[in-house]
Amino acid sequence: MIDIVGLIASNLIWILAIVIGGTLISISVHFIPVGGAPAAMAQATGIGTGTVMLAAGAGIAGIIAAGAVMAVNQDLWVVIGAAAVGAAVMLAATMIVATWIYAYGVGVMPVSAKVKYDPITKYRQDLYVSQGTEGHGIPTVAYVSATIGGLLGGLGAGLAYYALMKVSTLPVTNLNLVAVVSTFTIGFFFINSVIPSYNIVGTIEGFHDPKFKKWPKAAIASFLASIPLGILAVVAVGSLAAVGGL
Amino acid sequence: MTEKKMIPPNTLLAFGVVGGLVGVYLAYFLAPMNPIFVFFGALGAVCASVWGADVVRRVASYGLGTGVPSIGMLALGMGIIAVLFGLSLGLGPAGPLVAFITSCVIGAIIGIISKKVVGMTIPIMVSATTEIAGAGALLILGLSIVIAGSLDFGVVVTEVVTTGFIMMIYIAGGMAMLHPHNSNLGPDETQDRLLALSAEKAGIAVVLSGFASVAGMGAIAVTMLIGLFIWYIFWGKYYGFVKRDAYKVIDVGMLPTEEEMQ
């Protein structure tokens, strides 16, 4: 039996970091243009898959980036910076390929149905929305929004990863520690990207979408949900050092 | 729901909890004698997956507002955190039970949060997240003991987590829970067909984890054979149900015209 209370008490700062990370992940999901099945048929703006898949893909890319950097440099800002950039690059790459497919494969132009003028390029939008659809492709504003979402999500994932790595007394290059922490962070990321997707309900285009205003609800929900998850994760990762032969 | 005979939720709950826990514990206590007995864990995982698929069916038929896969990923996410926590405490035989209970508690917390804070209107949300989290934890425990041959935290970490098979469990196990509803949903959805598909998917997960097992050739062979058997039986059943349901004409009405939609 391990000293649960002692582990929690000595790692309060890292539990807080995990909770902040979870909240950041939750906010980040609202920035990502998720079209779901309608977008897969080019009938809604965004990428044609669910929130969870898209956010988790970005989050896992961020965790890989954080893990790779953490092995050589344990500075907090370097690790979470790498995670943020890794996740943002992953989302940007997904979207540029999706844009090619929508433009050259499906034959639709990127257009938003939620705003009359693109807030960034100031281009007229409503004229180009095909009848019976809710926009299609990934317009500039959604692209920029998703990149911000990737940065935030990666930041959250990197923060949770860094915090859990610091909980254990094992060296950061210990393979078992890296594996357990990565598994935890991925599970944590999935939970914190499902909660906001229930808040969004269906599709969202990014920060210009009226649904974006609902983000505080998901942020509070993820904040609350991350507290027990953070405690469990800290106990499990903290007790790794006591296991012999790792 | 048009069909007459439906397995009530409580029967499936009992089937999942009892079957899952008994399977995991039989494997836990019998594996030190002969590693072949880890296949009981696989059977427990199949029970848990059928239970989980039924819960996904009930909760997702209300309409989650986002894809069905989200709830499967949520279940396994909660399960993974709870299982690693439960096993890390070093409680010996109580570990799996603690993991299962922890998972249910996290599920209840997340269910309450999504109802009270996010404002989801699904009436069975809290009980559903509690149940899927429990099913997810049992599924992970059952398949983990197949792979590692033991539920000792150190062994599970080195043989299941560090080797990356945990992600295989995550996705294959998640598939067994979320895919049946995702592919069968609609007006002609029937419970027996959906549950057969879940058992079939779980059979594939058992074959995969048997293949990945480090518990010796005997355990690998027995578990993979049992997995193939489960897969074969339930694939046949599922195919039979599909044919039965497809031959029956079910009138779902015409698509509404534009005027009716106004």
Side-chain angles (χ1 to χ4, degrees), chain A residues 32-111:
Chain A
I32 300 172
V34 178
M41 298 179 284
Q43 292 182 350
T45 305
I47 308 168
T49 184
T51 329
V52 186
M53 304 307 145
L54 213 51
I60 291 168
I63 295 165
I64 293 171
V69 168
M70 187 105 186
V72 286
N73 190 329
Q74 278 94 54
D75 186 65
L76 170 70
W77 302 109
V78 176
V79 173
I80 63 172
V85 172
V89 167
M90 157 75 194
L91 265 180
T94 311
M95 284 184 303
I96 195 79
V97 175
T99 304
W100 292 338
I101 293 170
Y102 284 124
Y104 301 114
V106 186
V108 293
M109 63 188 306
V111 61

Side-chain angles (χ1 to χ4, degrees), chain B residues 99-185:
Chain B
F100 172 66
I101 294 169
T102 313
S103 194
C104 292
V105 172
I106 303 179
I109 293 174
I110 297 213
I112 291 167
I113 288 173
S114 40
K115 218 170 163 173
K116 299 278 179 224
V117 184
V118 180
M120 291 186 82
T121 49
I122 298 175
I124 60 164
M125 191 66 194
V126 179
S127 69
T129 47
T130 312
E131 288 185 43
I132 55 159
L138 286 177
L139 213 154
I140 295 167
L141 284 169
L143 295 182
S144 295
I145 198 166
V146 169
I147 294 178
S150 142
L151 280 181
D152 185 59
F153 187 49
V155 181
V156 169
V157 166
T158 49
E159 301 301 340
V160 183
V161 180
T162 308
T163 50
F165 289 127
I166 190 88
M167 281 297 119
M168 185 274 285
I169 296 181
Y170 199 116
I171 300 301
M175 276 291 164
M177 277 168 62
L178 68 90
H179 174 67
H181 183 74
N182 214 13
S183 64
N184 284 318
L185 58 80

